[in-house]
Amino acid sequence: MSRLIDAGLEQLAKMLARMGEVAYKTVSLSIMNYLEGKNVHNQVANLSDALISMAEEVEDKGFELISRFQPVASDLRILKSYMEISYDFSRYGRYALDVSQIHEMLDGIRGCEGWIRESIEEMGEKVLSMVGRSVESLKSHDAELAKDLSETEEQVDNLYSRFLDRLVEEAPSKNRCTISSVLVVRYLERIADHATYIGESIVYVVTGEKVTLR
Amino acid sequence: MSDVKIDVKGLNVWFWDNHVLKDIKVGLKPNAVTAVMGPSGCGKTTFIRAINRLNELIRGSRTIGEVYIDGENIYDKEINTYELRRRVGMVFQKPNPFPKSIFDNVAFGPRIHGVENDEELHKIVEGSLREAALWDEVYDRLEDSALDLSGGQQQRVCIARALAVNPEIVLMDEPCSALDPIATAKIEALMRKLKEKYTVIIVTHNMQQAARASDFTVFLYLGKLVEYGSTKSVFENPKSALTEKYITGEFG
């Protein structure tokens, strides 16, 4: 006999699996078109919005299951992880949107030197494979596949460091300012976003109302 | 202070041919609430009744093994069970106040133990009722019958009665199963307070109560101890697949 919570957990798993597919599609579309020099900003924006709505649905369902069934042990671990993963999927969408926005603003990397294009291609390929494997490990609940992500992540980290090192090494001092400031304003903007997320959470704690402060 | 108050070693209990507890080994911590949970018939009640030797009052019972309280084996021949049951108080599933006044219920134990002085009795009764979080509700009607109180208040009279003889350990056998949610919440809050001074062991059918109110959890199944650990670890990440199945409702 299945338990009352099982139907909810299955529904949540389906929602998340669907979300994973959309997230992969969004990141893939954004990266591939950035590399190929195509502007797909509107398409990516729609997909990113869809991911945000889906993350909200997963969160709502997770809340409902917690309040109605007081889950423990593996049920609790599933719920906690699924809610975090849905947020991560929505972040995939958001970063894909950022990439497409950069393409729209600066016309991609067509005019860049060969080594830059190659680096972005290599990194993009690895990142996309990680996104795919993260989605797959969720669907199959495959812990080994999940652990294997660590190796590629290290490779991506190294590519990132090497890329920045070379960029700085080859850049005249004026361009170094550009590189430094672009990186930093990006993080500043992210911190500001997170401050509003905290604000949204506090409004929800106090009033029960879900607001968007961004 | 030792980190084990009650050390159970190789405890086996039979009722006639029924082997109810099988080789239980566990060290229960002082000044903590430990919940004993498991499906019906797993030996929960027998387990806590082994801690004040109540099982031997039932015909056909046989106990092998040792239970040490502060290093002293309570199954030693020299142990005075009368004194043991003063040190290890018990509260039962159904509130069972005597058909006497609130005052006389709480004063019952101290009187048996020879306290005759009125002033001292009053002091003990007030202190015990305060500890049982009942004083403010009954201080002006101590001579009323305890049977006129609500179920939750009656259960707290029983707790006060157990505390009045100055125990070290308080055993509670499903103390909230006959109570409504408000009275249950009061008893659970009381457990939290009592552990500051006493070692509290509760038997509960209600897993959420174990999760809410206890610091440590014992899981018994078919008379065997399957798991013992911090309540946080048992409810978040149980070591045994059997515990996992029980607490997530796959059987029970």
Side-chain angles (χ1 to χ4, degrees), chain A residues 1 3 5 69-77, chain B residues 208 211 234-238 244 247-250:
Chain A
M1 196 169 62
R3 304 166 306 152
I5 192 175
F69 300 106
Q70 296 94 44
V72 294
S74 59
D75 295 334
L76 184 61
R77 299 201 300 274
Chain B
Q208 292 309 323
V234 171
F235 280 89
E236 280 180 14
N237 205 354
E244 165 87 29
I247 64 176
T248 57
E250 279 190 42

Side-chain angles (χ1 to χ4, degrees), chain B residues 152 156 179-189:
Chain B
R156 280 179 283 151
L179 305 182
D180 69 24
I182 306 278
T184 296
K186 283 187 183 165
I187 301 283
E188 287 176 0

Side-chain angles (χ1 to χ4, degrees), chain B residues 118-135:
Chain B
D118 268 0
E119 199 182 329
E120 196 180 339
L121 271 178
H122 270 94
K123 214 168 130 188
I124 292 171
V125 169
E126 179 176 342
S128 305
L129 285 169
R130 281 189 188 280
E131 276 194 304
L134 188 59
W135 176 255

Side-chain angles (χ1 to χ4, degrees), chain A residues 5-143:
Chain A
I5 192 175
D6 287 339
L9 290 174
E10 277 167 30
Q11 193 186 345
L12 207 53
K14 278 185 191 156
M15 288 160 82
L16 217 51
R18 168 87 190 113
M19 208 180 160
E21 285 164 14
V22 175
Y24 181 83
K25 186 179 166 189
T26 313
V27 176
S28 163
L29 188 72
S30 177
I31 294 179
M32 301 314 281
N33 284 290
Y34 180 75
L35 294 171
E36 287 167 15
K38 289 184 195 156
N39 184 348
V40 284
H41 183 60
N42 288 341
Q43 246 177 300
V44 173
N46 288 338
L47 288 167
S48 173
D49 283 348
L51 283 169
I52 290 169
S53 303
M54 290 161 107
E56 283 167 0
E57 283 171 28
V58 168
E59 192 178 84
D60 273 355
K61 190 72 199 167
F63 256 56
E64 182 195 338
L65 295 182
I66 289 171
S67 63
R68 291 181 62 191
F69 300 106
Q70 296 94 44
V72 294
S74 59
D75 295 334
L76 184 61
R77 299 201 300 274
I78 285 175
L79 277 176
K80 175 189 184 285
S81 304
Y82 279 11
M83 287 164 79
E84 282 176 4
I85 291 169
S86 79
Y87 174 75
D88 291 325
F89 282 158
S90 74
R91 299 314 298 163
Y92 279 165
R94 171 60 201 254
Y95 295 131
L97 181 69
D98 288 342
V99 169
S100 71
Q101 207 161 24
I102 287 167
H103 179 271
E104 194 172 60
M105 275 171 65
L106 300 169
D107 200 20
I109 50 171
R110 272 180 301 177
C112 299
E113 290 172 59
W115 75 269
I116 291 181
R117 286 203 307 274
E118 282 158 22
S119 299
I120 304 285
E121 265 169 26
E122 189 182 357
M123 217 164 144
E125 193 182 302
K126 285 191 190 297
V127 167
L128 198 55
S129 108
M130 287 180 77
V131 171
R133 281 180 288 150
S134 68
V135 173
E136 198 44 52
S137 70
L138 161 76
K139 283 187 186 168
S140 55
H141 270 212
D142 183 339

Side-chain angles (χ1 to χ4, degrees), chain B residues 27-29 32 102 104 108 127 146 154 160 168 181-182 189 215 220 242:
Chain B
L28 305 178
K29 313 262 184 200
I102 298 166
D104 286 344
F108 189 83
Q154 287 187 16
E168 297 160 30
I182 306 278
D215 304 298
L220 297 179
L242 206 55

